[in-house]
Amino acid sequence: MTAHSSPDSVPAGTGTVTTAVPARLDRLPWSRWHWMIVIGLGTVWILDGLEVTIVGNVAGRIAEDGSGLAITSAQITGVAAALYVAGACSGALFFGWLTDRYGRRRLFMVTLAVYLAATALTALSTEAWWFFLFRFLTGFGIGGEYAAINSAIDELIPSLYRGRVDLIINGSYWLGAIGGALLSIVMLDTDIFPADMGWRLSFALGVVLGLVILLVRRHVPESPRWQFIHGRGEEAEDLVASVEQEIEREKGAPLPPPDREITIHQRRSVGFGEIARTVFARYPRRAVLGLSLFIGQAFLYNAITFGFGAILTTFYDVPTGHTGYYFAVIAAGNFVGPLLLGRLFDTVGRRVMISSTYLLSGLLLFATAWLFGRGSLTASTLTACWCVVLFFASTGASSAYLTVSEVFPMETRAMAIAFFYALGTAAGGISGPLIFAGLTESGVVADTVLAFQIGATLMCAAGLVAVFLAVNAERRSLEDIAEPLSTAKPSTEGVRS
């Protein structure tokens, strides 16, 4: 790093530095260090999937007499679920701003600590208000995780692997969902655990897993990209040098030299006004793309999953206690999609893969709606259809997080992720239930068909937007995709799209 103004002689945020840190990170081969990043940061989505699924599956048991908590099932799936969503949205925005201002590492430790404390206190609930409060705070921590973790992962993972890693990590939510579905079957068995203990132990398991992740996460470093922009250039230099030495020892060969440098003005923070101008005025097409992708996937998922249990029990007489097995099947489809298709986002390319996964999932859901309307499906074949739809939809939904985390400048990255996540979560958690609750639970075939068609239409619309607006970000440096606001010599080329 060449410092035009020495970081030791000027206040943080006022120097001008030339650095090769981004290029040095991007040319690293895959290593044990990168696995540590993935395990330390990515596995938290398993907790999110476990958390949401357990709550949905234990709602009936908690509402029963003898559970130790005076609350109704409707309050759990209604009030508590809405508060979790509200917490996630507000947590994403609050912690997203702090992440851009104070760093990725500090915040991804804080957000996990908030999640752990709130989940533990949820397990100790004895009053409805206590349960509601800590469901909100659990969501608050999880929402903050989305902003802090996605920004850190994209800034630490080499550009050659960024797409597949991001997709698989976001798709790992569904591993937690599988675990939650199967775990709830055991935990709710009163022959194994008392009625007032099983549901509490379900939450406690999430705390134990979170503590393990916290121990690993202690070793995950700050993003060097964040460091050199925020006046901590020497720390960024030392960190990258130590990683390079570790990887050279592991591979037994020297690394190639970096192929470029970047000159930036260091700064302390970026205000909300500048973030808004950047996202919506400098990159309006990318903002439309982000909104379309998040809203499309939110409505498709609500069209299928919001009335999942009601559809199976109402139309196919599936016992309530058995719906967890069906949910585990579609959750598996959700995880396998990003796992198998993720690599193509780095090889075939973002535009082709984002648009095709959205369009395919939407068209397949239209076909499922048609077959369901004709009465051609059983509980098993409907679940199989959902599994195929969500194989593509989950990949597309994960690519929405990937897209908004890589197409905006570094100084705004966490806040951009937070904004689009909050909007998509609000659309799914507020508008979705209002639209789909009556449709999927009415017992009228035509109403459920309409619910499927609404989700499919919005997913296809998002896919068409991606055809025209998706950014070809594969194998490109984040600084090439969106030039940092702090760049000393702004490019005059047409990068604003």
Side-chain angles (χ1 to χ4, degrees):
M1 177 183 294
T2 301
H4 299 298
S5 297
S6 170
D8 294 328
S9 61
V10 295
T14 62
T16 299
V17 298
T18 297
T19 179
V21 161
R24 291 165 67 187
L25 289 169
D26 281 335
R27 68 47 157 122
L28 295 175
W30 192 261
S31 66
R32 288 191 294 267
W33 185 80
H34 294 107
W35 278 118
M36 182 266 293
I37 300 296
V38 169
I39 294 170
L41 298 183
T43 46
V44 75
W45 302 154
I46 297 175
L47 289 180
D48 190 14
L50 184 76
E51 179 85 20
V52 173
T53 307
I54 282 177
V55 171
N57 288 341
V58 305
R61 175 54 46 80
I62 299 176
E64 293 176 358
D65 291 337
S67 71
L69 181 62
I71 195 171
T72 67
S73 179
Q75 286 178 316
I76 297 170
T77 58
V79 177
L83 287 171
Y84 182 87
V85 169
C89 293
S90 54
L93 295 170
F94 177 72
F95 287 120
W97 175 69
L98 292 178
T99 298
D100 278 334
R101 187 177 181 90
Y102 296 110
R104 285 44 169 144
R105 187 178 191 278
R106 187 177 298 177
L107 268 297
F108 64 59
M109 298 297 286
V110 170
T111 52
L112 183 56
V114 170
Y115 164 82
L116 289 173
T119 301
L121 289 167
T122 299
L124 300 176
S125 299
T126 56
E127 300 289 342
W129 67 266
W130 181 282
F131 186 84
F132 295 149
L133 172 63
F134 289 104
R135 289 307 295 156
F136 173 85
L137 291 176
T138 301
F140 196 72
I142 284 292
E145 286 277 291
Y146 275 91
I149 300 304
N150 277 296
S151 55
I153 287 171
D154 279 4
E155 290 167 10
L156 292 169
I157 297 298
S159 57
L160 185 64
Y161 308 100
R162 189 174 61 240
R164 72 196 75 178
V165 170
D166 199 297
L167 262 68
I168 292 171
I169 284 175
N170 279 286
S172 68
Y173 170 97
W174 294 100
L175 283 178
I178 296 171
L182 299 178
L183 179 67
S184 63
I185 295 172
V186 176
M187 291 298 183
L188 297 184
D189 189 340
T190 52
D191 291 334
I192 302 176
F193 298 104
D196 64 344
M197 186 60 66
W199 67 270
R200 298 184 190 276
L201 291 175
S202 298
F203 286 111
L205 180 61
V207 176
V208 173
L209 293 176
L211 287 171
V212 173
I213 294 172
L214 187 63
L215 292 175
V216 177
R217 191 173 286 187
R218 291 183 307 152
H219 303 290
V220 178
E222 180 56 86
S223 163
R225 283 177 156 104
W226 183 88
Q227 286 177 322
F228 74 71
I229 282 182
H230 289 80
R232 295 165 59 180
E234 295 302 323
E235 293 179 41
E237 175 75 20
D238 292 344
L239 172 57
V240 175
S242 67
V243 173
E244 289 171 332
Q245 292 170 7
E246 179 182 331
I247 292 176
E248 285 180 338
R249 286 194 299 269
E250 178 185 337
K251 303 299 182 182
L255 293 168
D259 59 1
R260 68 183 67 186
E261 294 181 329
I262 184 173
T263 300
I264 58 98
H265 294 301
Q266 296 175 313
R267 58 167 76 193
R268 287 183 181 274
S269 62
V270 179
F272 278 118
E274 187 170 2
I275 292 173
R277 286 192 299 273
T278 300
V279 173
F280 296 105
R282 186 175 184 182
Y283 295 102
R285 290 158 60 90
R286 297 182 184 188
V288 170
L289 173 66
L291 291 173
S292 300
L293 296 182
F294 268 89
I295 292 174
Q297 61 87 22
F299 274 88
L300 178 136
Y301 269 94
N302 272 273
I304 293 178
T305 61
F306 187 81
F308 172 81
I311 292 170
L312 291 177
T313 56
T314 301
F315 295 102
Y316 300 108
D317 296 323
V318 174
T320 303
H322 290 180
T323 58
Y325 295 109
Y326 292 88
F327 186 83
V329 172
I330 66 169
N334 273 285
F335 176 67
V336 172
L339 184 66
L340 297 183
L341 300 179
R343 182 175 179 274
L344 299 179
F345 283 75
D346 288 321
T347 54
V348 174
R350 304 286 202 265
R351 185 187 300 269
V352 171
M353 291 306 299
I354 294 172
S355 58
S356 61
T357 51
Y358 270 75
L359 288 168
L360 273 172
S361 58
L363 292 173
L364 288 168
L365 185 54
F366 273 124
T368 301
W370 180 70
L371 291 171
F372 180 82
R374 292 185 59 201
S376 302
L377 299 175
T378 63
S380 296
T381 54
L382 176 62
T383 301
C385 287
W386 279 337
C387 194
V388 175
V389 169
L390 295 173
F391 175 87
F392 295 103
S394 176
T395 310
S398 295
S399 74
Y401 292 94
L402 169 66
T403 296
V404 300
S405 67
E406 67 181 0
V407 302
F408 296 106
M410 205 220 77
E411 298 90 335
T412 69
R413 181 162 294 122
M415 198 63 207
I417 297 168
F419 173 78
F420 290 105
Y421 166 76
L423 191 71
T425 303
I430 299 173
S431 302
L434 291 175
I435 293 173
F436 296 121
L439 293 177
T440 56
E441 296 175 1
S442 68
V444 178
V445 170
D447 287 348
T448 300
V449 169
L450 177 60
F452 289 171
Q453 290 173 338
I454 292 171
T457 298
L458 290 173
M459 200 69 171
C460 286
L464 291 174
V465 170
V467 169
F468 297 101
L469 300 185
V471 179
N472 293 318
E474 60 276 4
R475 301 184 300 278
R476 293 173 61 193
S477 168
L478 294 171
E479 290 72 23
D480 287 341
I481 300 167
E483 189 175 68
L485 302 179
S486 306
T487 301
K489 296 180 180 180
S491 171
T492 57
E493 296 178 346
V495 297
R496 300 182 182 184
S497 61

